[in-house]
Amino acid sequence: KAGVTQTPRYLIKTRGQQVTLSCSPISGHRSVSWYQQTPGQGLQFLFEYFSETQRNKGNFPGRFSGRQFSNSRSEMNVSTLELGDSALYLCASSLSRLAGGPRETQYFGPGTRLLVL
Amino acid sequence: AQTVTQSQPEMSVQEAETVTLSCTYDTSESDYYLFWYKQPPSRQMILVIRQEAYKQQNATENRFSVNFQKAAKSFSLKISDSQLGDAAMYFCAYRSAGLENFGNEKLTFGTGTRLTIIP
């Protein structure tokens, strides 16, 4: 079974631009989570989507947004880029079974490295 | 809010030896999961091992095992017979469980421990 894929792998943007990152989960996985990894702040949770609905959101400004499509693929968008948005953006997927069932582990993609100049 | 602390920024071990990475966490919840993830230079986050809080038995996966002390809120990772391929950043992570946390997939990570293997 193919793993989580993320595109593009590398991206260079300038301040003020906007960017869209894509994540395709493992086949059958319905939950997609996004994380930002920086040397200063470490790994921080951005948001999580399940069945096209945002279920959980981290403490990030409104410039960070996302969505999920009916095939569970997800995109995240960052508008008005700032230098501090330079980071590795990781996507993770899981089965997220129904309440009462066992929780599944999150599996991560290779990440998108974003550099803002 | 939950917090995860990894107090060892860097560790090194001789190849074929055993090393233990430390992790402590703070939570008021009784039902949760704990994970160790490995991030090699490729930056791909790879699951090493996971532990359900309701299970008293420590999880093991081949050369990797954990020492889970729920009362002490401690979750250390032991790597036996260390290999060159084990060199990576290791992150400890927490996730809430229980019915009241249904839909909460958020992982809270520690700051990581960089493990170097000495040939």
Side-chain angles (χ1 to χ4, degrees), chain A residues 42-43, chain B residues 3-6 23-24 90-94 108-113:
Chain A
L43 281 150
Chain B
T3 58
V4 177
T5 302
Q6 293 180 251
C23 172
T24 58
Y90 285 81
F91 291 95
C92 178
Y94 174 103
T108 299
F109 286 91
T111 51
T113 296

Side-chain angles (χ1 to χ4, degrees), chain A residues 56 103 105-106 108 113, chain B residues 37 43-44 50 104-105:
Chain A
N56 219 352
R103 299 299 178 82
T105 299
Q106 291 187 33
F108 284 80
R113 187 179 294 277
Chain B
Y37 281 92
R43 309 307 297 274
Q44 173 91 45
R50 85 175 198 177
N104 185 357
E105 298 283 334

Side-chain angles (χ1 to χ4, degrees), chain B:
Chain B
Q2 295 77 34
T3 58
V4 177
T5 302
Q6 293 180 251
S7 58
Q8 306 155 315
E10 295 184 353
M11 292 278 287
S12 61
V13 63
Q14 206 80 31
E15 194 177 359
E17 296 296 309
T18 295
V19 64
T20 299
L21 308 184
S22 301
C23 172
T24 58
Y25 58 95
D26 189 28
T27 183
S28 58
E29 300 173 337
S30 59
D31 195 5
Y32 49 86
Y33 289 99
L34 295 166
F35 303 85
W36 279 98
Y37 281 92
K38 164 186 173 181
Q39 188 178 43
S42 67
R43 309 307 297 274
Q44 173 91 45
M45 196 74 79
I46 301 165
L47 175 70
V48 175
I49 199 165
R50 85 175 198 177
Q51 174 80 42
E52 290 89 343
Y54 66 85
K55 289 186 177 179
Q56 291 191 340
Q57 187 173 7
N58 289 325
T60 61
E61 285 288 344
N62 301 315
R63 297 182 295 107
F64 299 88
S65 62
V66 298
N67 184 4
F68 173 49
Q69 302 289 328
K70 191 172 184 179
K73 295 179 183 173
S74 170
F75 182 61
S76 61
L77 174 71
K78 186 171 84 170
I79 306 174
S80 304
D81 186 25
S82 297
Q83 301 176 0
L84 294 177
D86 295 333
M89 280 289 286
Y90 285 81
F91 291 95
C92 178
Y94 174 103
R95 194 176 94 195
S96 300
L99 287 177
E100 70 278 12
N101 285 303
F102 171 68
N104 185 357
E105 298 283 334
K106 172 185 175 183
L107 286 171
T108 299
F109 286 91
T111 51
T113 296
R114 183 175 302 281
L115 179 65
T116 300
I117 311 297
I118 303 167

Side-chain angles (χ1 to χ4, degrees), chain A residues 13-110:
Chain A
K13 293 284 187 179
T14 56
R15 278 182 300 173
Q17 287 187 308
Q18 67 94 24
V19 67
T20 299
L21 312 181
S22 180
C23 172
S24 292
I26 292 171
S27 178
H29 285 195
R30 297 170 65 189
S31 169
V32 175
S33 299
W34 289 89
Y35 295 84
Q36 181 196 63
Q37 185 176 23
T38 61
Q41 300 297 317
L43 281 150
Q44 294 187 289
F45 173 78
L46 280 156
F47 30 63
E48 185 253 347
Y49 286 86
F50 178 81
S51 291
E52 303 178 62
T53 301
Q54 186 182 91
R55 289 197 299 190
N56 219 352
K57 190 177 192 307
N59 189 25
F60 277 81
R63 300 185 298 106
F64 292 81
S65 63
R67 59 177 177 169
Q68 186 180 35
F69 301 94
S70 58
N71 61 358
S72 294
R73 187 177 71 87
S74 177
E75 290 181 347
M76 67 162 281
N77 184 277
V78 188
S79 62
T80 319
L81 284 166
E82 300 177 359
L83 296 179
D85 297 334
S86 295
L88 179 69
Y89 290 88
L90 293 166
C91 161
S93 76
S94 67
L95 277 171
S96 190
R97 296 182 190 278
L98 296 174
R103 299 299 178 82
E104 297 296 333
T105 299
Q106 291 187 33
Y107 296 91
F108 284 80

